Amino acid sequence: MSAAALAAEIRAGRRRAIEVVEAHLADIAARDARFNAFTEVTAARARAEAEAVDVAVAAGQDPGPLAGVPIAVKNLFDLEGVVTLAGAKIERDSLPARADAFLVRKLREAGAVMLGALNMDEYAYGFTTENAHFGPCHNPHDLTRIAGGSSGGSAAAVAAGLVPITLGSDTNGSIRVPASLCGIWGLKPTYGRLSRRGAFLFVGALDHLGPFARDVADLALAYNALQGDDAEDHAQAWRGPEPVSLEGGAEGLRIGILDDHFARNGHAEAFAAVAAVARALGATHRVTLPDAAIGRAAAFLITMAEGANLHLPNLRARPDDFDPGTRDRFLAGALLPATWVQQAQRVRAAYRARALALFDEFDVLIAPATPYVAPPIGQEMIEVDGQMIPVRPNLGVYTQPISCIGLPVIAAPVAGVATPGNLPIGVQLIGAPWAEDKLFRLAAHLERIGACRAPEPRNAPNGNPHA
């Protein structure tokens, strides 16, 4: 049962929120050891919130569009009374959060029920969620493979049917990569669209927050609930509420297929996924995003420098308490010459201007989301275009050039594409800034015609155990 259908059942009094929550808590206890998606289960809070929803329904009140829907969030979101770990051993020494993050509060205001916090790469610096402190997150479609990252727990929890909606963050692809590898829908909104207050940021210049879901209607339901003006988040560019609709289909949308950088650097299944979506839409126009590789290089430098600056005190005082892989990348960032970082910002600005010019001709651009299906846990190198390259950084080869300039993207799971091991893979539906409505229209159309849909995970009994 989708989140939308579940909320409708609860609002109508046909199901009780507390019964739904108890079923989900029992399921997490029984099955999450396979996935290692949760780092904290907030059972007492969930029961109290579910009871409050049931009381409101009994009193004839509408608890909201997400009435009684179980949710969970990446463990870099503040949850009142819980230590915000951000995937790090170091943060275990921090005090519990005094209040919920802004987006958590928005979901709660819509009636959702919080079940807990989810596994991630340390400090969101990674694409695999192979966390040295909390263990790797396992892909629900093949437990020997990664779930992607850094929001791996968020994607795996939805793909496995543990919860219908989760929240993640995306700096260089950390929503879109795990969505692609786990075969679900993910949204990276326009930079500045949603408040980031109460989230442990990684790179303030690049960080976005957004939802995951198994279908487009649930993704839209979450996104609409998340919108709101936060006067305390000075990075938010509030334009008023802009709820998205799933009506209208693809009619009138000018669609382009990104080539050059986005037609190289990957395996056949990544390009087959793009081709399948293009065929379904009758899209034939190919377009080049100028200097995508250079834009990606700029994103690397900015990420390294800002991340290192944020964590420099602990790098000096507690280097052995970092995940070794994360520590080494932060240390490298701390050694970057300032002139390199300044030049990266100039390059980024020029690259963004060239990218925005494409939307004079196109409404939506299609590109691969990941260069290959989920690699095995622990795999360090992979062959691409005849060369052996590192697995982890290359997972962002198609997402980094888009996130570094703040464009909105929906990651869509592609149906009917032959892949190694029959594993899922997705595409990016990319829009102009503030054009989330067009992306949702196209995503809903692709889902209706069967071109994109979330496959049933192999490790969830009967697909979704809560149906």
Side-chain angles (χ1 to χ4, degrees), residues 224-252:
N224 287 339
L226 291 167
Q227 295 187 54
D229 186 14
D230 182 6
E232 296 184 43
D233 181 1
H234 301 300
Q236 187 188 29
W238 181 242
R239 296 161 54 98
E242 297 182 25
V244 293
S245 169
L246 306 183
E247 303 301 321
E251 185 176 354

Side-chain angles (χ1 to χ4, degrees), residues 5-17:
L6 185 59
E9 289 282 297
I10 291 171
R11 284 198 305 272
R14 291 187 290 270
R15 298 183 74 168
R16 296 182 63 223

Side-chain angles (χ1 to χ4, degrees), residues 1-3 6 15 17 19-42 46 68-73 113-119 136-141 143 147 151-167 182 184 212-214 218 455-467:
M1 181 174 291
S2 69
L6 185 59
R15 298 183 74 168
E19 293 170 352
V20 171
V21 162
E22 291 292 359
H24 278 76
L25 290 173
D27 186 49
I28 291 167
R31 292 197 300 128
D32 186 49
R34 306 180 198 177
F35 314 115
N36 195 29
F38 278 82
T39 55
E40 178 91 16
V41 178
T42 55
V69 172
I71 60 169
V73 297
V113 174
M114 178 59 63
L115 266 61
L118 300 160
N119 203 355
C137 189
H138 298 260
N139 193 309
H141 297 273
L143 298 177
S151 308
S154 300
V158 170
L162 297 176
V163 285
I165 290 172
T166 60
L167 293 184
C182 288
I184 61 172
F212 294 89
R214 282 187 56 82
D218 283 358
E456 294 295 342
R458 301 171 192 173
N459 291 285
N462 301 318
N464 183 350
H466 308 295

Side-chain angles (χ1 to χ4, degrees), residues 36 46 96 124 130 160 170 201 222 256 300 374-375 379 407-408 410 464 467:
N36 195 29
E130 294 173 284
D170 191 309
L201 297 183
F300 264 122
Q379 181 174 335
L407 303 179
I410 287 180
N464 183 350

Side-chain angles (χ1 to χ4, degrees), residues 87-369:
K89 174 183 176 181
I90 289 171
E91 300 308 321
R92 290 173 177 168
D93 299 335
S94 301
L95 294 174
R98 297 177 62 182
D100 286 342
F102 182 88
L103 295 189
V104 172
R105 194 170 78 242
K106 294 299 293 183
L107 292 179
R108 282 289 304 118
E109 290 170 358
V113 174
M114 178 59 63
L115 266 61
L118 300 160
N119 203 355
M120 59 179 285
D121 286 290
E122 183 183 66
Y123 293 123
Y125 204 171
F127 285 125
T128 64
T129 312
E130 294 173 284
N131 190 298
H133 314 300
F134 302 99
C137 189
H138 298 260
N139 193 309
H141 297 273
D142 181 341
L143 298 177
T144 69
R145 295 176 181 264
I146 64 169
S150 62
S151 308
S154 300
V158 170
L162 297 176
V163 285
I165 290 172
T166 60
L167 293 184
S169 67
D170 191 309
T171 306
N172 288 299
S174 291
I175 287 173
R176 292 157 291 156
V177 167
S180 175
L181 300 186
C182 288
I184 61 172
W185 298 86
L187 169 68
K188 182 196 80 64
T190 303
Y191 181 83
R193 166 75 83 177
L194 300 179
S195 170
R196 302 182 302 183
R197 182 159 56 95
F200 197 125
L201 297 183
F202 169 30
V203 181
L206 305 177
D207 286 342
H208 308 64
L209 306 178
F212 294 89
R214 282 187 56 82
D215 64 46
V216 178
D218 283 358
L219 194 72
L221 190 65
Y223 172 63
N224 287 339
L226 291 167
Q227 295 187 54
D229 186 14
D230 182 6
E232 296 184 43
D233 181 1
H234 301 300
Q236 187 188 29
W238 181 242
R239 296 161 54 98
E242 297 182 25
V244 293
S245 169
L246 306 183
E247 303 301 321
E251 185 176 354
L253 293 179
R254 301 167 300 168
I255 299 168
I257 307 159
L258 287 181
D259 60 14
D260 190 46
H261 175 85
F262 299 92
R264 295 180 280 106
N265 308 301
H267 289 181
E269 62 266 23
F271 311 126
V274 171
V277 171
R279 282 195 305 271
L281 296 172
T284 58
H285 292 91
R286 304 190 69 84
V287 59
T288 298
L289 175 53
D291 297 329
I294 295 174
R296 182 185 181 221
F300 264 122
L301 293 175
I302 294 165
T303 296
M304 292 170 67
E306 283 205 25
N309 175 263
L310 180 64
H311 296 287
L312 192 57
N314 281 329
L315 287 169
R316 288 170 169 157
R318 304 179 60 176
D320 292 337
D321 289 335
F322 281 85
D323 180 316
T326 309
R327 178 194 59 219
D328 292 349
R329 281 175 284 156
F330 280 144
L331 288 172
L335 300 175
L336 287 178
T339 186
W340 288 16
V341 181
Q342 184 63 31
Q343 183 63 16
Q345 291 287 12
R346 291 194 186 100
V347 167
R348 178 189 177 205
Y351 165 59
R352 184 175 190 270
R354 288 192 287 272
L356 292 181
L358 297 182
F359 294 102
D360 292 337
E361 299 181 54
F362 298 97
D363 297 302
V364 179
L365 302 173
I366 305 171

